[in-house]
């Protein structure tokens, strides 16, 4: 998702509502891409099976009293890479990418607070993320090689990485953003706002907790990407979706498919978007992003909504502060659309840059 770096109460054109939204006005392959599989796993290629067989070390790191989930690959003492996922996602979004980087690096993937297996918070702040990222990096050995780690963040995670690069550059050697945008809501969000009643009926709120599905099959049927896009690699969607779910008690009067009394719910905090504190996150002035002193690269999808909006004339300041590299035939979720191209781009970049 794109990122809101403006004040919580601001009304500038850069304000972005980054809550998930839901619409049934989408083609079936976008609205419910896993429904045809009826709970079964799609066939996967050999490269993917090898990657997910490289099971990471799973641990938790405490930061600000919160347990933060961390996955690690590769040997301590090698240069460090910290991988940060996007909105409503989790550390396993990188589990089929990280093993291909672990030959030359000590790699850690973290679940942001309120997502994955990480604890939820009463308030979520970008500044706390910078502290969380440092805590994970130090605990997992990303500094052990004598060089500061490189941070890599996708989408909303890229916004977190950018904030840290601007405000805490001493923590990192360099930063790579993967399809990260700064700007107003994309057209589909604006369309949803026009149908406010439907929007409010579908977004979780303090009075509406996450929905609990009676079976894994029913939960997988509801999985979709945000922002909505087509995706051909259903085996990746299935892998991500299964690791996005947790067991949860069903509401009174409902029965689980297995008779256990428990169903499946999404792991992320459903009230995160109401609890996200944007004060102190404004980093721009006059539409310009702040100077970043660490080397910065932006990898983006050729078919990404971010790029589509640029092509119709929307201004962007990111190109002024970062070197940009296009990943062909990819939408916003680059690691899903073109995972091996992303691996190749990262490996080539890391072998020659920022030295």
């Amino acid at each position: 998702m794109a990122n809101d770096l403006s004040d919580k109460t601001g009304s500038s054109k850069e304000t972005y509502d980054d809550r998930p939204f839901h619409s049934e006005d989408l083609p079936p392959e976008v609205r419910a891409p896993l429904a045809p599989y009826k709970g079964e796993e799609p066939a996967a290629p050999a490269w993917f099976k090898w990657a997910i067989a490289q099971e990471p070390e799973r641990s938790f790191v405490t930061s600000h009293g919160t347990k933060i989930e961390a996955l690690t690959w590769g040997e301590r003492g090698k240069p460090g890479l910290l991988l940060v996922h996007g909105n409503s996602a989790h550390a396993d979004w990188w589990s089929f990418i990280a093993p291909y980087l672990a030959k030359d690096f000590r790699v850690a993937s973290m679940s942001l607070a309120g997502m994955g297996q990480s604890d939820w918070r009463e308030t979520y702040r970008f500044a706390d993320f910078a502290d969380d990222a440092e805590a994970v990096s130090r605990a997992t050995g990303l500094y052990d090689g004598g060089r500061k780690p490189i941070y890599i963040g996708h989408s909303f995670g890229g916004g977190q990485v950018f904030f840290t690069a601007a405000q805490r550059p001493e923590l990192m050697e360099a930063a790579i953003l993967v399809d990260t945008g700064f700007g107003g809501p994309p057209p589909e969000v604006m369309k949803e706002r026009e149908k406010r009643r439907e929007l409010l009926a579908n977004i979780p709120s303090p009075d509406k907790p996450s929905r609990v599905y009676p079976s894994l099959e029913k939960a997988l049927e509801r999985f979709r990407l945000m922002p909505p896009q087509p995706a051909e690699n259903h085996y990746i969607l299935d892998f991500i979706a299964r690791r996005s779910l947790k067991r949860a008690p069903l509401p009174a009067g409902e029965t689980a498919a297995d008779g256990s009394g428990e169903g499946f719910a999404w792991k992320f905090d459903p009230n995160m978007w109401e609890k996200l504190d944007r004060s102190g996150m404004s980093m721009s002035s006059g539409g310009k992003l702040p100077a970043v002193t660490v080397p910065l690269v932006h990898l983006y999808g050729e078919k990404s909504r971010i790029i589509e909006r640029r092509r119709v004339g929307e201004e962007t300041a990111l190109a002024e502060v970062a070197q940009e590299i296009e990943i062909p035939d990819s939408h916003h979720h680059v690691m899903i659309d073109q995972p091996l191209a992303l691996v190749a781009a990262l490996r080539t970049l890391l072998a020659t840059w920022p030295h």
Side-chain angles (χ1 to χ4, degrees), residues 27-236:
E29 65 271 18
V30 175
R31 184 180 71 248
L34 297 177
Y37 298 96
K38 300 186 180 301
E40 298 296 323
E41 295 185 17
W47 74 263
F48 182 81
K49 292 179 179 179
W50 176 87
I52 62 173
Q54 312 310 303
E55 182 65 27
E57 177 186 347
R58 297 176 181 268
S59 62
F60 291 92
V61 176
T62 300
S63 175
H64 290 286
T66 300
K67 290 193 303 182
I68 303 296
E69 181 182 26
L71 282 55
T72 50
W73 298 259
E75 300 174 8
R76 284 179 176 260
K78 292 182 177 179
L81 296 179
L82 179 68
L83 309 179
V84 188
H85 62 77
N87 219 349
S88 305
H90 49 78
D92 270 305
W93 274 63
W94 294 100
S95 283
F96 48 93
I97 302 293
Y100 290 101
L101 306 175
K103 178 181 177 181
D104 299 311
F105 294 90
R106 171 69 169 173
V107 185
S109 176
M110 63 183 290
S111 289
L112 297 172
M115 305 187 203
Q117 296 285 89
S118 294
D119 286 345
W120 298 1
R121 285 175 171 157
E122 289 302 314
T123 304
Y124 299 96
R125 302 180 180 89
F126 271 40
D128 291 344
F129 161 77
D131 294 338
D132 299 343
E134 180 184 13
V136 169
S137 296
R138 295 194 183 281
T140 58
L142 301 192
Y143 290 89
D144 289 2
R147 191 180 84 179
K148 291 180 288 187
I150 294 174
Y151 283 30
I152 303 175
H154 172 243
S155 191
F156 180 75
Q160 307 275 8
V161 168
F162 185 90
F163 178 91
T164 304
Q167 303 295 326
R168 301 282 304 281
E170 72 279 2
L171 296 181
M172 66 181 72
E173 178 78 10
I176 300 174
L177 313 182
V178 180
D179 214 79
T180 298
F182 302 91
E188 66 270 17
V189 175
M190 294 300 293
K191 182 179 179 181
E192 289 299 302
R193 285 178 174 175
E194 295 173 3
K195 299 184 294 182
R196 191 67 181 173
R197 181 178 300 178
E198 178 184 349
L199 181 67
L200 293 175
N202 284 282
I203 291 179
S205 70
D207 298 321
K208 181 183 178 184
S210 295
R211 180 176 177 180
V212 181
Y213 300 92
S215 68
L216 178 60
E217 177 183 345
K218 292 297 183 184
L220 292 174
E221 285 179 1
R222 297 296 297 175
F223 180 79
R224 68 184 66 168
L225 296 173
M226 293 292 172
Q229 66 160 76
E232 296 180 357
N233 294 326
H234 290 172
Y235 57 93
I236 298 180

Side-chain angles (χ1 to χ4, degrees), residues 301-340:
E302 175 194 12
K303 300 178 180 178
S304 166
R305 296 294 175 89
I306 294 169
I307 302 308
E308 287 180 3
R309 293 165 69 189
R310 288 189 190 181
R311 287 173 179 156
V312 297
E314 181 173 299
E315 296 181 1
T316 177
L318 186 56
E320 299 175 8
V321 298
Q323 176 184 352
E324 294 197 294
I325 301 172
E326 181 178 276
I327 305 296
D329 196 28
S330 176
H331 294 272
H332 174 64
H333 298 93
V334 182
M335 68 275 289
I336 296 174
D337 296 330
Q338 294 293 341
L340 294 181

